[in-house]
Amino acid sequence: MYREETIAAISTPLGEGGIGIIKISGDKSLEILKSIFVTKGHKRKEDWEPRKMVYGYILHPQTQEMIDEVLAVYMKAPNTYTKEDLVEIHCHGGMVPLRKILALVLEQGAAMAEKGEFTKRAFLNGRLDLSQAEAVMDLISAKTDVSHDVALGQFEGILSQEVQGIQEIIKDMLAHIEVSIDFSEEDIDEVTMEHLLEKSIKAKESFETLLQSAKTGKILREGLVTGIVGKTNVGKSSLLNALLRENRAIVTDIPGTTRDVIEEQLNVRGIPLKILDTAGIRDTEDAVEKIGVQRSREIFQQSDLVIFMIDASKKLDREDYDFLEIIKDRRALVIINKTDLEEAIDLERIKSIVGDKKLIRISLLKNKGLEALEDALEEMAYEGDGFSKEQPFITNARHQQAISQGLMSLEEGIKALENRMPLDFVEVDLKNAWESLGEVTGDTVSEDILDHIFENFCIGK
């Protein structure tokens, strides 16, 4: 699980840039830096003051070849990211100097870092718990400001504190049960059973509150895959352009202009959307357009959210009503476009089919109704509750699974208490609930799961 070697890796993205960084962590970090670094007068530097950036050069210790002009900093354990001695070498950002310096560091005794090994060491050395460590990658991959705020909150321990709070309730119950079992010759009074039941219900409410955040958390972390579907010329590509605030998709009066799926990443009030503008659904003899229509139907099935567009100026046909029947059981919005023209649709019939689905009237030509659409998207993402930086969100499928399993175990314990079963049975269920929560913070996680988590990190982190 833990390698004793000093490790090193390039910590900046591959490619050309102003600055590139090589990171070294472990007992030999400073020793390696001393062997390859010289100051401006080509003198070896022995007295390194922690956290002070030093200007100089990287030289090959045998050939004296100068590799690059750099800035280097030494950070002394335990006040570092990994809680080990840490060195950073800031060189020019091209791949040649970065690779040459890394090769030299490895020659001097460092081992190549594995994926996520710096953060894994931070976890194993107690600087971060596991949910905080996982938040590092969420910070790196955040698609919007809100996604960043959620990841930062998890990195700062908001989710961990919530989980640990539930664990404390369960721990208190387990202690109570232990005392009762130790004095098992005495009858367990009704007050004890009611106390345990009351605590269990309180813990259950906390579990459920956390799990309610999972749907929004998933959206903020991964984005909401949103398919725009509808007949030809209802305004699908115009809607994409309006949301993007640019002319990304070609818009004409000719049916079948969009022949393939156009995919765009979009930020709507901090909510990351993956918008898929599809080919218009219609019967066609054009072979290429037929493929596009078929892909539109596939996107319709795969999308997290379906935006079904209708042309208000044309009567709906059987295929339109068939689609309305389908989306009434999906997460969907119905957009009625071209409301600036004389309406020909049967609005009451549409409402009777889709039930409580939102119907949003817009005119893309007149630039009306977009704000209402963005309001609906925001309400859908946050389940109507809005966003708070202080609120814990479950953004990770692993966390959701562990917390769900913990809730199931707790519910079994509640049933046992309600049926006045022996406390030994209750104790088993409560311990299972506590251990499930421990998988979130890393208290009870297996080595295999740890390896799997950090395999998804980049090498330099």
Side-chain angles (χ1 to χ4, degrees):
M1 186 181 292
Y2 189 93
R3 297 196 295 168
E4 295 296 336
E5 299 108 313
T6 294
I7 58 172
I10 298 170
S11 286
T12 41
L14 300 180
E16 296 180 358
I19 296 173
I21 299 175
I22 293 94
K23 187 184 293 183
I24 313 169
S25 180
D27 293 341
K28 295 182 180 178
S29 298
L30 183 57
E31 178 185 329
I32 291 171
L33 177 61
K34 287 179 177 180
S35 70
I36 62 175
F37 180 89
V38 295
T39 59
K40 188 175 180 181
H42 283 215
K43 294 180 180 179
R44 299 288 174 187
K45 182 174 176 60
E46 296 298 331
D47 54 333
W48 282 85
E49 184 181 342
R51 303 185 177 278
K52 184 176 181 180
M53 194 73 78
V54 180
Y55 168 75
Y57 304 94
I58 298 295
L59 293 186
H60 194 291
Q62 278 77 47
T63 66
Q64 299 303 301
E65 173 195 3
M66 188 177 84
I67 307 298
D68 199 9
E69 180 183 34
V70 303
L71 292 170
V73 60
Y74 159 65
M75 290 166 273
K76 186 174 177 57
N79 300 316
T80 69
Y81 182 72
T82 58
K83 296 195 79 172
E84 301 173 337
D85 281 358
L86 196 69
V87 162
E88 287 185 1
I89 300 171
H90 296 228
C91 64
H92 291 96
M95 284 311 304
V96 173
L98 278 165
R99 285 175 175 164
K100 280 193 170 188
I101 294 172
L102 177 60
L104 193 56
V105 169
L106 298 179
E107 282 178 24
Q108 302 308 302
M112 186 68 192
E114 297 174 354
K115 287 185 175 181
E117 190 168 3
F118 291 100
T119 303
K120 186 176 183 179
R121 290 189 175 202
F123 163 68
L124 293 173
N125 289 328
R127 183 183 181 274
L128 305 171
D129 69 30
L130 192 54
S131 70
Q132 290 175 301
E134 289 170 291
V136 171
M137 281 309 295
D138 290 351
L139 279 168
I140 292 171
S141 60
K143 297 176 177 67
T144 68
D145 289 346
V146 174
S147 302
H148 172 270
D149 288 342
V150 170
L152 188 61
Q154 185 173 319
F155 181 72
E156 291 176 339
I158 290 178
L159 177 62
S160 302
Q161 290 165 16
E162 194 72 19
V163 167
Q164 288 162 1
I166 304 174
Q167 282 186 306
E168 281 299 313
I169 297 174
I170 296 174
K171 186 178 177 182
D172 179 70
M173 294 168 62
L174 287 169
H176 209 103
I177 289 172
E178 286 289 341
V179 171
S180 299
I181 291 174
D182 287 343
F183 295 94
S184 56
E185 66 276 3
E186 299 179 17
D187 292 335
I188 305 301
D189 60 29
E190 192 66 21
V191 174
T192 298
M193 298 298 281
E194 288 303 320
H195 170 77
L196 292 172
L197 191 57
E198 182 183 328
K199 286 273 191 180
S200 297
I201 292 171
K202 181 181 178 182
K204 181 184 176 184
E205 290 171 354
S206 298
F207 267 107
E208 290 171 339
T209 300
L210 258 185
L211 286 171
Q212 285 170 5
S213 72
K215 189 181 292 184
T216 297
K218 182 177 184 292
I219 290 171
L220 294 176
R221 183 176 189 256
E222 301 175 9
L224 190 65
V225 179
T226 305
I228 307 175
V229 297
K231 288 288 190 61
T232 57
N233 281 18
V234 296
K236 298 186 299 298
S237 295
S238 296
L239 177 62
L240 174 63
N241 291 340
L243 289 170
L244 286 169
R245 271 66 174 182
E246 64 175 84
N247 293 325
R248 168 66 177 85
I250 299 172
V251 177
T252 74
D253 294 328
I254 304 169
T257 301
T258 302
R259 295 188 168 207
D260 199 357
V261 176
I262 298 174
E263 180 180 317
E264 283 291 336
Q265 299 292 336
L266 184 62
N267 178 351
V268 175
R269 300 184 185 175
I271 304 160
L273 299 182
K274 182 180 178 181
I275 294 280
L276 305 172
D277 175 24
T278 63
I281 297 170
R282 66 167 184 159
D283 292 327
T284 176
E285 297 303 317
D286 186 294
V288 176
E289 191 181 348
K290 273 186 176 180
I291 296 172
V293 171
Q294 179 58 36
R295 291 191 67 185
S296 296
R297 295 180 186 276
E298 292 171 2
I299 292 298
F300 179 84
Q301 296 299 328
Q302 297 167 7
S303 297
D304 298 323
L305 168 66
V306 174
I307 294 179
F308 183 59
M309 291 195 71
I310 295 171
D311 182 343
S313 67
K314 295 180 180 178
K315 288 185 178 180
L316 303 190
D317 60 20
R318 181 177 175 180
E319 194 165 32
D320 288 313
Y321 286 117
D322 286 345
F323 265 96
L324 288 171
E325 288 286 350
I326 295 171
I327 68 169
K328 72 180 182 182
D329 297 321
R330 297 283 304 277
R331 181 188 283 184
L333 298 172
V334 179
I335 306 296
I336 302 172
N337 188 29
K338 305 186 183 181
T339 54
D340 53 293
L341 303 177
E342 184 177 349
E343 291 195 8
I345 58 173
D346 186 341
L347 193 58
E348 292 305 314
R349 184 178 176 185
I350 294 171
K351 288 179 179 178
S352 69
I353 295 173
V354 298
D356 61 353
K357 294 287 184 292
K358 279 192 177 293
L359 274 65
I360 301 171
R361 300 167 60 83
I362 67 173
S363 170
L364 292 170
L365 181 65
K366 302 293 185 181
N367 198 28
K368 292 182 179 179
L370 272 181
E371 187 173 347
L373 172 58
E374 292 183 351
D375 287 343
L377 290 169
E378 186 175 34
E379 182 179 353
M380 189 169 289
Y382 298 131
E383 301 287 321
D385 294 331
F387 171 74
S388 168
K389 288 184 180 181
E390 287 72 38
Q391 178 184 352
F393 284 93
I394 298 174
T395 61
N396 186 305
R398 188 186 73 81
H399 298 168
Q400 184 178 3
Q401 183 180 7
I403 292 169
S404 296
Q405 186 60 51
L407 176 59
M408 288 173 58
S409 297
L410 180 65
E411 287 174 337
E412 289 298 316
I414 291 174
K415 286 179 187 177
L417 285 168
E418 289 174 336
N419 293 325
R420 296 304 188 259
M421 295 179 69
L423 290 182
D424 306 70
F425 292 89
V426 180
E427 184 180 31
V428 170
D429 292 324
L430 293 183
K431 281 183 176 177
N432 288 339
W434 189 90
E435 287 177 1
S436 293
L437 290 173
E439 291 183 15
V440 176
T441 58
D443 293 336
T444 59
V445 75
S446 69
E447 186 174 343
D448 289 342
I449 292 175
L450 273 182
D451 289 340
H452 177 71
I453 289 169
F454 290 106
E455 279 173 3
N456 295 317
F457 278 56
C458 51
I459 289 177
K461 199 62 183 173

